[in-house]
Amino acid sequence: MHSIKEILSDEFIGKQVTVHGWVYRTRSSGKIAFVVLRDSSGIVQSVANISTLGDEKFKVISSLGIESSVELQGTVKKDDRAITGYEIEVTGYKVYQRNESFPITKDKGEEFLLDNRHLWLRSQEFSAVLKVRSTVFKAFADFFYSEGYYQVQAPFMVSTATEGGTTLFKVPFFGSEVSLTQSAQFYLETMIFSLEKVFTISPSFRAEKSRTWRHLTEYWHGEAEVAWVDNSGMMDIEERMIHFIIRRVLEENLPELAILGRDAGDLRRWTEPFLRMTYSDLIKGAQETGMNIRYGDDLGSDEEKQIMIHYDRPVFVTHYPKELKTFYHRPDPENPGELLCHDLLAPEGYGEIIGGSERIWDPEQLKERMEEYKLNPEDYYWYMDLRKYGSVPHSGFGLGLDRAIMWICKLDNIKNAIPFPRTIRRTKP
Ligand code: ATP
Ligand code: MG
């Protein structure tokens, strides 16, 4: 048994092979049939001859519908006219399942494809996204292991909000209620006191009521927290991490990038240093492009899209006004109205993929900020305790993995970066 990718090589010319897969397309002229087969590794053309197979067997193979599952036996030939340069001359086959037709055809609309996501996953485009996705998840973990971090896990059912009450999902819990986690951050913060450098990959849940091209209600979150690191040190780590992921994708996924229409040259540019600027300078720059925006305005999907269309590499934006972010980011001691925080905005209009900061580590300051946000420090007693017993300067971040994949794969909607998107209107399939 061979994979299709394996046999697409001069070494296999003249050899007898057996491959498994699904019918990608067929064409028959009565005496000769071309069956293009795909498996997870690639596609290959095969040619079936009535003179080799006999009438009966030829009739079956030449009328297989798309996505029928088969095993083919045959000899490999080089043929420049074949779709991937080689061809299998079929000597025998076995049909596992014969389909008359496949529901997905070219002219289907977006909703239809979402209803049939379980089948659409087989498309070349989606398989390519899934492969890049696999690389990105692994690279994220590999990067942190290579820098001496520990992988940890936090609970998904929680009773402490990190990102405010408006996007919390409530779940019944033995006569009371819990929420689904919005971020593992607070739990990661507890673990730096034993491990110093920790990371996790887990889903985060946000009841996002506005439908945008970059929000899911359940998304995959790569997060890290690290002791003794300040805001700019944190950005250094994140920049190395993104460079590491991009290099991995370049090593492993050139064919997939080509299928997706993403130029590998774009990725090479993102392995160079990122830009860094303050929120205030970003706003000034945006005003110079004619955008109607003022210092203090929040940057949502649309604003970031308009701004980032002008950049060809990622930009760290620091020092947001404190009104724009939640309570745990550390105010800049030189200018307490602004925070020692950063968002990493992806170029080409993609916008925020990371939110991170230096965390407040002084107990009094944390209490003050919570009061400004009308939060009860008692509800956060365990988070406050971290500031009471051996508190240390520390920083952390969260990367939206689906957003990063959308950007790397040049997709126009985050729903196409995850196999089964969950949005306000969709929980099926
Ligand atoms: P946004 O402003 O785009 O709503 P956020 O500032 O609320 O994002 P953070 O709380 O900073 O997001 O979360 C960290 C990261 O998680 C974000 O930078 C983003 O990449 C990702 N993220 C946040 N919300 C979502 C979502 N609803 N769907 C997908 N990814 C998300
Ligand atoms: Mg953010």
Side-chain angles (χ1 to χ4, degrees):
M1 174 83 64
H2 297 96
S3 77
I4 288 178
K5 186 174 170 195
E6 220 183 327
I7 62 162
L8 300 177
S9 123
D10 285 353
E11 272 176 54
F12 274 86
I13 295 173
K15 295 225 169 97
Q16 180 75 18
V17 295
T18 300
V19 290
H20 276 150
W22 293 266
V23 172
Y24 187 69
R25 63 170 176 253
T26 54
R27 181 160 55 86
S28 173
S29 70
K31 294 206 161 22
I32 184 164
F34 295 96
V35 178
V36 178
L37 196 73
R38 69 161 186 89
D39 70 2
S40 65
S41 74
I43 56 180
V44 66
Q45 173 172 297
S46 66
V47 53
N49 248 299
I50 197 163
S51 56
T52 322
L53 294 175
D55 280 359
E56 269 315 297
K57 290 206 98 177
F58 180 79
K59 211 164 119 197
V60 173
I61 195 170
S62 60
S63 62
L64 287 174
I66 286 176
E67 290 303 313
S68 296
S69 43
V70 291
E71 175 184 300
L72 294 182
Q73 298 108 31
T75 326
V76 178
K77 239 180 56 184
K78 198 168 175 97
D79 189 334
D80 292 335
R81 290 164 306 176
I83 178 162
T84 41
Y86 298 84
E87 193 173 71
I88 300 175
E89 277 184 336
V90 179
T91 52
Y93 67 84
K94 177 171 162 189
V95 175
Y96 286 89
Q97 193 187 40
R98 177 182 173 159
N99 305 331
E100 293 298 324
S101 65
F102 191 62
I104 296 182
T105 50
K106 270 212 161 37
D107 53 348
K108 296 298 185 191
E110 197 191 321
E111 285 304 305
F112 181 90
L113 292 180
L114 281 165
D115 287 338
N116 289 282
R117 185 48 79 79
H118 53 294
L119 300 176
W120 179 237
L121 296 180
R122 306 175 182 198
S123 66
Q124 272 218 306
E125 295 92 323
F126 219 99
S127 301
V129 172
L130 290 175
K131 288 178 186 176
V132 173
R133 195 174 160 95
S134 174
T135 304
V136 170
F137 273 63
K138 179 164 192 297
F140 183 85
D142 283 351
F143 170 78
F144 284 106
Y145 283 129
S146 78
E147 299 229 343
Y149 285 65
Y150 295 92
Q151 181 165 203
V152 297
Q153 289 75 33
F156 294 0
M157 295 192 219
V158 300
S159 40
T160 321
T162 57
E163 302 304 316
T166 56
T167 62
L168 278 180
F169 274 112
K170 300 284 189 188
V171 178
F173 195 80
F174 303 113
S176 89
E177 230 177 25
V178 290
S179 311
L180 297 180
T181 182
Q182 298 166 306
S183 158
Q185 178 193 324
F186 290 0
Y187 292 97
L188 298 195
E189 285 185 67
T190 67
M191 293 187 233
I192 62 168
F193 294 86
S194 44
L195 303 173
E196 295 184 59
K197 299 157 104 178
V198 297
F199 78 96
T200 197
I201 300 178
S202 75
S204 279
F205 302 89
R206 304 209 181 171
E208 307 277 4
K209 284 170 203 88
S210 62
R211 275 182 290 134
T212 77
W213 50 274
R214 71 176 201 190
H215 287 91
L216 295 165
T217 55
E218 175 185 307
Y219 72 94
W220 284 82
H221 210 168
E223 294 174 90
E225 287 289 319
V226 49
W228 322 109
V229 166
D230 65 8
N231 191 44
S232 86
M234 196 67 234
M235 288 187 279
D236 295 341
I237 295 166
E238 290 162 28
E239 185 166 330
R240 286 204 298 281
M241 180 263 300
I242 299 287
H243 284 170
F244 186 96
I245 292 174
I246 298 286
R247 273 194 228 106
R248 269 289 175 80
V249 172
L250 279 168
E251 280 161 29
E252 314 249 330
N253 298 115
L254 287 180
E256 286 73 36
L257 294 176
I259 288 169
L260 295 165
R262 165 59 86 191
D263 186 347
D266 295 337
L267 274 75
R268 285 192 197 99
R269 196 168 55 247
W270 308 331
T271 61
E272 290 164 18
F274 298 167
L275 300 171
R276 291 187 191 190
M277 66 179 78
T278 62
Y279 166 88
S280 160
D281 285 341
L282 185 82
I283 296 293
K284 278 184 209 140
Q287 287 167 341
E288 278 159 24
T289 66
M291 203 172 147
N292 181 15
I293 193 168
R294 277 183 316 210
Y295 183 95
D297 287 352
D298 202 0
L299 307 178
S301 315
D302 292 343
E303 292 78 15
E304 286 179 7
K305 183 170 211 158
Q306 264 193 66
I307 294 173
M308 291 311 293
I309 223 98
H310 300 287
Y311 291 89
D312 72 351
R313 69 197 62 209
V315 183
F316 278 112
V317 182
T318 65
H319 297 84
Y320 282 80
K322 75 178 196 315
E323 294 72 27
L324 295 187
K325 300 274 174 192
T326 184
F327 67 94
Y328 51 70
H329 306 293
R330 182 169 177 232
D332 184 356
E334 318 261 295
N335 176 10
E338 294 182 349
L339 300 169
L340 296 175
C341 69
H342 57 271
D343 280 359
L344 181 63
L345 308 188
E348 304 172 332
Y350 282 101
E352 178 177 343
I353 55 169
I354 286 180
S357 69
E358 195 168 324
R359 316 307 192 187
I360 295 178
W361 58 284
D362 175 72
E364 282 314 309
Q365 192 174 32
L366 187 62
K367 224 166 127 198
E368 259 169 48
R369 283 289 281 159
M370 291 185 89
E371 278 158 8
E372 283 173 42
Y373 277 77
K374 311 234 175 323
L375 296 168
N376 181 2
E378 275 167 29
D379 294 340
Y380 292 80
Y381 74 94
W382 54 277
Y383 192 62
M384 305 300 287
D385 270 358
L386 306 178
R387 277 74 186 164
K388 269 198 231 155
Y389 304 108
S391 191
V392 292
H394 65 282
S395 298
F397 78 91
L399 164 70
L401 288 159
D402 319 281
R403 279 201 196 166
I405 291 157
M406 165 174 65
W407 163 53
I408 292 169
C409 293
K410 206 173 180 172
L411 307 174
D412 58 6
N413 194 302
I414 194 167
K415 285 187 280 195
N416 294 327
I418 186 167
F420 295 102
R422 295 289 172 254
T423 64
I424 191 165
R425 280 182 31 209
R426 184 166 290 278
T427 50
K428 268 198 254 178

